[in-house]
Amino acid sequence: MPGAPEELPLARAALFIVFDGTLVDIAARPGAVRVPGEVRGLLGALHERTEGATVVVSGRRMAVLDRFLGGFGGVVNGSHGAEMRDGGRFWRHPAADSEELQAIRRMAEAWAEGNPGVLVEDKPCSVAVHFRQAPERMTDGEAVLDTLVMELPEVRFLAL
């Protein structure tokens, strides 16, 4: 992976870099991604050249991103905006890991156990259900998830 071209005026730029699909290849399962060795060095160089205006954005939990990006000093926005680290400061959405969300997560996990290939990913302010390994279960899964949140006006179901 080549470094950032020297002629670009990066000191006047802000870079927002998506983790999955940009920094790392999409993998069959969230935990199966591999961070190429040169990514950490490139991120550090971009952070320096943009004078700290390099942001990594992801749907992953901050703790997971920290394991993958170990030592990156720039801004990291995780969990689809529910968590953020800027230098030594950490912010987390006040609704993170609410009782309602934990109940939905448990029910989604119980449904997924009976559907091989369906993966439920734990996030602070959402429940992600992956159908990559079982696309034929997606229609049923969306119906189940829609039913789970129907009685909770503060929770939204999004099919992406």
Side-chain angles (χ1 to χ4, degrees):
M1 179 181 290
E6 290 299 320
E7 65 274 5
L8 291 177
L10 293 179
R12 296 189 335 223
L15 301 176
F16 294 83
I17 304 170
V18 177
F19 183 78
D20 286 287
T22 302
L23 286 180
V24 299
D25 291 331
I26 300 292
R29 300 179 65 80
V33 301
R34 298 290 171 251
V35 179
E38 62 270 14
V39 165
R40 289 184 184 95
L42 180 58
L43 279 175
L46 289 171
H47 178 65
E48 187 176 307
R49 296 227 7 242
T50 60
E51 298 178 3
T54 297
V55 180
V56 174
V57 179
S58 179
R60 293 174 181 268
R61 280 183 173 268
M62 191 66 65
V64 172
L65 289 169
D66 284 343
R67 284 195 303 270
F68 283 127
L69 299 176
F72 173 61
V75 176
V76 180
N77 184 304
S79 301
H80 302 288
E83 298 177 300
M84 188 175 77
R85 188 191 68 237
D86 183 358
R89 297 175 304 182
F90 179 78
W91 174 86
R92 191 170 203 206
H93 193 282
D97 296 317
S98 68
E99 288 183 34
E100 293 86 0
L101 188 62
Q102 290 175 24
I104 292 168
R105 184 178 298 124
R106 284 190 300 273
M107 289 184 276
E109 287 170 344
W111 179 81
E113 283 178 17
N115 292 280
V118 176
L119 174 69
V120 177
E121 188 179 3
D122 184 26
K123 298 180 181 271
C125 286
S126 64
V127 176
V129 181
H130 298 272
F131 297 95
R132 202 173 295 139
Q133 301 297 313
E136 71 282 359
R137 303 303 302 153
M138 188 171 194
T139 300
D140 290 343
E142 287 177 352
V144 168
L145 294 168
D146 193 36
T147 301
L148 290 178
V149 302
M150 195 176 294
E151 299 299 319
L152 301 169
E154 68 278 2
V155 177
R156 289 195 173 88
F157 168 65
L158 301 171
L160 305 173

